Amino acid sequence: MGAEPFSQSQSQTQNHNHHFRHAPFVLGLQPSALVDNVATVDWSLLRQIPGERGGSVPVCIQELDNILREVKSNSLDAHSSMQTLAGGSVANTIRGLSSGFGISSGIIGAYGDDEQGQLFVSNMTFNGVDLSRLRKKKGYTAQCVCLVDDLGNRTMRPCLSNAVKVQAQELMKEDFKGSKWLVLRYAILNLEVIQAAIHLAKQEGLLVSLDLASFEMVRNFKLPLLKLLESGNIDLCFANEDEAAELLRGEQNADPVAAVEFLSKYCQWAVVTLGSNGCIAKHGKEIIRVPAIGETKATDATGAGDLFASGFLYGVIKGLSLEECCKVGACSGGSVIRSLGGEVTFENWQWMYKQMQIKGLSMPADVCMQMNIANN
């Protein structure tokens, strides 16, 4: 059910009619639709780009254009050319749930009336994501440059400052009615819209999943994050190792186990991902550690945590055990790092289903059907 391009006046009526036929099971809140420009680059180019290598530093539109120009002029061979994909952490998770796991999923946010906005819409529509809660606005769609070095490490330069976004007061109860899960990513700039979304989601009885976003975000804006956790409204929390360490900075032991214990005081499910070392998760009294699946060397780590979340959520939705949820997450996280960008290719989904089959994990229904047909 993709949103067709429409004029501003139509968009108003479309958004306020909210004649949703079937509410998606999972809703992602990504206030700004985002387009990722992903490219493999060598060290020499990374040296010319201001800011630390590896991190994520916001840039203005002029800087973004400069970086894109640099990359394009430096890419001589075909395989280092730039890929442009619909992106953003929540969009990656939602797209994975929809296209890889067959869970009906939708996104709440806004996109601009530009080429990037159209690209976001067509990519998400192609992957079966419900866009009836995505507002079209006049202006720019957010963009990010993801530069990947030969070790698979990525350097991000997002350009969000002048991008269109959905505001807290634009959210309505109807956006959430009938859905079961809300997927969020912590961001201080979006705190108001996150709080509004949680408030409405809880009125409608949704479960809420929160990703901690980045160690910088946890370090610099820890108090509002703790408030969110302490509210008791976050049912599932995902953190990677660096974010977990920041969360417990200054505590006697700030290891991943301690972080899982800390998060589980506030959340039904607490998960700390450990990159090539797998993950640790806690639900109720049960605590589980699961190794990573697939190659340890990532082609591009973009989206690994986002796709891990897709798999883990699929497990929770299907009522799998905690250990199985972790294993499915490890399979889907392992699938996305086999190629560039945060979108899983058809071949890599096939790889993931094979891994799930070997481990005896519950498969999405339509995949089972395809596999039975292939085997007969």
Side-chain angles (χ1 to χ4, degrees), residues 163-236:
V164 299
K165 63 185 270 195
V166 81
Q167 304 294 340
Q169 62 275 16
E170 293 174 76
L171 298 178
M172 290 176 280
K173 249 173 125 146
E174 291 78 61
D175 286 322
F176 301 90
K177 207 179 255 338
S179 293
K180 297 289 180 278
W181 275 94
L182 173 64
V183 173
L184 303 167
R185 182 174 205 243
Y186 184 57
I188 200 69
L189 287 172
N190 295 332
L191 190 58
E192 204 187 333
V193 66
I194 286 170
Q195 287 165 333
I198 292 174
H199 178 71
L200 291 167
K202 284 298 166 189
Q203 285 183 342
E204 293 299 323
L206 278 75
L207 292 163
V208 175
S209 162
L210 179 72
D211 181 279
L212 295 196
S214 71
F215 68 88
E216 295 99 338
M217 196 63 74
V218 177
R219 176 188 295 163
N220 298 331
F221 308 104
K222 195 155 147 185
L223 279 174
L225 172 59
L226 291 174
K227 265 206 150 93
L228 270 186
L229 291 169
E230 287 161 6
S231 71
N233 286 330
I234 309 298
D235 301 282
L236 194 176

Side-chain angles (χ1 to χ4, degrees), residues 8-292:
Q8 198 61 19
S9 58
Q10 278 174 290
S11 100
Q12 299 309 317
T13 55
Q14 151 133 5
N15 291 339
H16 293 294
N17 287 347
H18 272 286
H19 43 248
F20 303 140
R21 287 195 284 281
H22 298 291
F25 198 90
V26 180
L27 277 177
L29 173 76
Q30 187 170 302
S32 296
L34 173 74
V35 166
D36 279 335
N37 302 281
V38 188
T40 18
V41 295
D42 62 35
W43 294 84
S44 57
L45 178 73
L46 285 171
R47 281 202 199 95
Q48 296 162 38
I49 290 166
E52 275 181 76
R53 216 181 13 249
S56 177
V57 183
V59 294
C60 67
I61 191 86
Q62 288 80 12
E63 286 178 274
L64 183 101
D65 289 339
N66 288 341
I67 298 171
L68 289 176
R69 262 199 306 278
E70 278 293 317
V71 173
K72 278 176 185 146
S73 64
N74 274 30
S75 72
L76 303 167
D77 49 345
H79 71 251
S80 71
S81 65
M82 177 107 40
Q83 276 188 2
T84 312
L85 308 159
S89 177
V90 170
N92 289 342
T93 299
I94 290 296
R95 179 175 53 203
L97 273 166
S98 173
S99 68
F101 292 103
I103 302 285
S104 76
S105 306
I107 202 157
I108 301 176
Y111 68 102
D113 56 352
D114 54 5
E115 193 189 337
Q116 278 73 27
Q118 215 31 64
L119 190 142
F120 185 90
V121 166
S122 50
N123 178 280
M124 287 311 223
T125 303
F126 175 78
N127 283 288
V129 176
D130 179 325
L131 299 183
S132 52
R133 294 158 186 73
L134 190 67
R135 284 86 162 155
K136 183 179 191 176
K137 297 189 173 188
K138 275 209 164 339
Y140 293 107
T141 304
Q143 288 192 72
C144 181
V145 188
C146 312
L147 304 173
V148 184
D149 66 23
D150 50 8
L151 296 172
N153 299 319
R154 53 180 193 207
T155 299
M156 314 266 237
R157 292 296 178 264
C159 175
L160 308 171
S161 49
N162 60 347
V164 299
K165 63 185 270 195
V166 81
Q167 304 294 340
Q169 62 275 16
E170 293 174 76
L171 298 178
M172 290 176 280
K173 249 173 125 146
E174 291 78 61
D175 286 322
F176 301 90
K177 207 179 255 338
S179 293
K180 297 289 180 278
W181 275 94
L182 173 64
V183 173
L184 303 167
R185 182 174 205 243
Y186 184 57
I188 200 69
L189 287 172
N190 295 332
L191 190 58
E192 204 187 333
V193 66
I194 286 170
Q195 287 165 333
I198 292 174
H199 178 71
L200 291 167
K202 284 298 166 189
Q203 285 183 342
E204 293 299 323
L206 278 75
L207 292 163
V208 175
S209 162
L210 179 72
D211 181 279
L212 295 196
S214 71
F215 68 88
E216 295 99 338
M217 196 63 74
V218 177
R219 176 188 295 163
N220 298 331
F221 308 104
K222 195 155 147 185
L223 279 174
L225 172 59
L226 291 174
K227 265 206 150 93
L228 270 186
L229 291 169
E230 287 161 6
S231 71
N233 286 330
I234 309 298
D235 301 282
L236 194 176
C237 187
F238 292 104
N240 67 24
E241 218 169 344
D242 300 337
E243 293 149 13
E246 276 305 330
L247 197 59
L248 296 188
R249 180 181 281 285
E251 301 292 316
Q252 255 63 50
N253 57 350
D255 60 16
V257 178
V260 163
E261 294 289 358
F262 175 80
L263 288 169
S264 72
K265 289 196 296 210
Y266 308 110
C267 313
Q268 292 186 54
W269 293 271
V271 187
V272 176
T273 55
L274 309 168
S276 57
N277 294 319
C279 72
I280 300 177
K282 188 170 184 201
H283 176 52
K285 295 256 176 287
E286 185 181 18
I287 190 159
I288 285 286
R289 191 175 191 135
V290 166

Side-chain angles (χ1 to χ4, degrees), residues 357 365-376:
Q357 203 179 16
D366 50 340
V367 176
C368 292
M369 266 167 52
Q370 287 163 15
M371 287 199 153
N372 290 339
I373 293 163
N375 293 339
N376 287 342

